[in-house]
Every structure is written in C-alpha cells, then in structure tokens.
Amino acid sequence: MPLTALIAEDEPLLAQALQAELAAAWPELRVVATARDGRSAVREALRLLPQVLFFDIRMPGLDGLGAAAELADSWPTDEAPMPQLVFVTAYDEYAARAFEAEAIDYVLKPVQPERLRKTVARLRQALAAAAPSMTPPVPADEVLERTLAQWRQVLGAAGGAPSTSSTSAAPLRMIAASDAGGATVRMVPIDEVLYFEAADKYLRVLTATQEYLIRTPLKQLLPQLDADTFWQVHRAVVVRSAAIEAVHRDEAGKLHLALRGRAEKIPVSRLYAHLFRAM
C-alpha cells in the first residue's frame, strides 16, 4: 500500500512548494489532498486516513493545533493507525521551542530541503517501527500509545497541549472573574475551583455552586496553575485532580470524569487518557 499524506496550508503557493519539496525528498509518498483550513483538514483526514499529516499551525478558523486535537479523539484506530504529525510554521518561536523539546516533526517556512530531508528520514523510521511486518510485531495498543505520546510532545511544544509536568514558580491563588450576568467582578479563591472550560471567547470557571467567566485563554492560564493540582484532560478542559470522584468508560470506549460537587460529566480526550490508566 502506498504511503499517503495530507497537507493543510492556507497559502496555496506554500502548499505547492511543500508538495514539490516532498516529491523530491520522498518520491514514494503520495499527497492525496490539500486543505486550506483546519475544518477541511479534519474532514479530509478522516475520509482519506493518510499516514502523515503536514499541518500549518496558523490557519483561519480552526488552527493546526485545534485540528490535531480533534483528530486525536476522532481518528478511527480500528481502521487505520494514528498518523505521524508534522507542523509547518513560519514562526521561529514555535520551531525553537519544538526543537528544544526534541519534537522532531516540525518544518519551518519557507521549506528548507535539507531540514525537510531530516524530517522525512525520521518519519520513515517512525513508520517502519510501527509497521505490522516488524519482527517481533509491536502490539497495536503499544503502537497507538507511542504515537499519542509523540502527539502530546509535539502539541505541547507548540502550545496546544502543555505538559502536565510543567509548573509555575508562583501558582495562582485568586482569580478575578465576572459572574454570569457580567455586572460584578468577584475574587474567586483557586482552592474553590473544580474545573476550567474554554467556551467561545471566554473561559468558564466552575466551583461546586457557581460559574464565573474570565477572558484569559486556557493556554495562558495553564502555566499559572499548579500542575500537580490541575490536570488538563481535554484541549478545552482542566480539572482539579482531587475533585475527581470516578472515571467512566462509555460504550464507545471514551472516558468521562465525575467530579465531586458537579452533576455534569467531563469528557477526557484520547491524548490524556493515559492519566487514568491505573484507575
């Protein structure tokens, strides 16, 4: 079966340039589709199930980080292995952070042939290691977890899914948040917060009895939280670990959390399911 790839890039000339460089560096790889936004990338990836994804970080609407996070949950692992993920970016700070974290799957725009060849070599190695023909064969669950671990590393380096091991020097103790009506700002002790949830332009702050709103994006709030106290369990949700009462698995195999003091169930992304394996 031929190796296939999908390119998500909102600038057509850059997408063409990447496809041309890939043809030179990896002749047997076939680019089966290009997408100009994250939503289209998710839709085409699920339709075609390619082995490699080249995602621009900055795209209109759903960006590359959000598209990757959605695919991590919706990828049909019973039909095809999780693909290798490559971020393509014109922003040096993303690439620098990724390389420092030893995330291998980054390409800086404009595409440099030498750098692309190194990425291709590493992708070939990763795909070969996961191939069913390996002797001895690697169990499918182990292959999936290896790929998810790589996705967590790559997303974390780009700011899409910060590592649960990173901590702030001075974690937040109080949060200035608006009440539901928006007319009053209240000082909410961080010890009362059970979880945070991103919603449109706001971040919901949920206690056992109240809901507040703040405008701070989740990715900016995360470094200010004690990582031992608050766990990210979804790209849009961070929960207080001590508030987790139970972990439920539904008929589709997806995990949901029950929190003490809240009636709603909190979905757990596939990227973060490893946090609850022991439970």
Side-chain angles (χ1 to χ4, degrees), residues 12-244:
L13 291 179
L14 291 175
Q16 292 172 17
L18 175 56
Q19 188 166 352
E21 293 293 348
L22 278 171
W26 201 350
E28 61 269 39
L29 182 72
R30 183 164 62 94
V31 176
V32 291
T34 58
R36 297 184 63 176
D37 60 79
R39 291 291 176 199
S40 298
V42 170
R43 183 174 61 251
E44 289 299 285
L46 292 175
R47 182 175 71 88
L48 298 167
L49 303 180
Q51 287 97 339
V52 185
L53 304 174
F54 291 91
F55 277 10
D56 187 12
I57 288 182
R58 300 283 180 89
M59 290 187 289
L62 185 67
D63 63 13
L65 301 174
E70 283 200 12
L71 282 175
D73 273 344
S74 54
W75 193 267
T77 55
D78 55 338
E79 297 180 33
M82 288 278 293
Q84 298 296 307
L85 175 63
V86 182
F87 278 135
V88 183
T89 177
Y91 300 89
D92 289 297
E93 69 269 22
Y94 287 125
R97 288 164 60 190
F99 297 152
E100 288 170 6
E102 297 181 358
I104 63 172
D105 295 332
Y106 272 73
V107 176
L108 189 63
K109 295 187 290 188
V111 178
Q112 301 297 317
E114 182 177 354
R115 172 62 198 167
L116 183 61
R117 283 195 294 270
K118 291 180 180 179
T119 296
V120 166
R122 289 164 174 164
L123 288 170
R124 287 176 185 267
Q125 184 177 16
L127 289 168
S133 58
M134 282 290 293
T135 305
V138 180
D141 289 348
E142 185 176 335
V143 172
L144 175 60
E145 184 48 44
R146 285 182 186 176
T147 306
L148 288 172
Q150 184 211 20
W151 279 47
R152 285 193 294 271
Q153 181 187 31
V154 174
L155 283 167
S163 169
T164 53
S165 63
S166 61
T167 58
S168 171
L172 279 178
R173 299 302 178 197
M174 301 287 291
I175 293 179
S178 301
D179 59 18
T184 304
V185 174
R186 300 186 182 278
M187 299 304 296
V188 182
I190 197 70
D191 290 343
E192 295 182 8
V193 178
L194 298 185
Y195 74 97
F196 299 92
E197 181 181 33
D200 296 325
K201 297 179 181 180
Y202 294 93
L203 189 65
R204 299 173 67 210
V205 181
L206 288 302
T207 69
T209 58
Q210 299 293 328
E211 174 180 338
Y212 305 96
L213 299 174
I214 59 176
R215 287 185 176 271
T216 305
L218 188 59
K219 66 180 180 181
Q220 291 183 18
L221 179 69
L222 273 168
Q224 304 177 62
L225 300 175
D226 185 337
D228 291 329
T229 301
F230 287 95
W231 295 357
Q232 185 165 15
V233 299
H234 187 277
R235 69 188 179 93
V237 181
V238 173
V239 304
R240 175 178 293 279
S241 58
I244 299 172

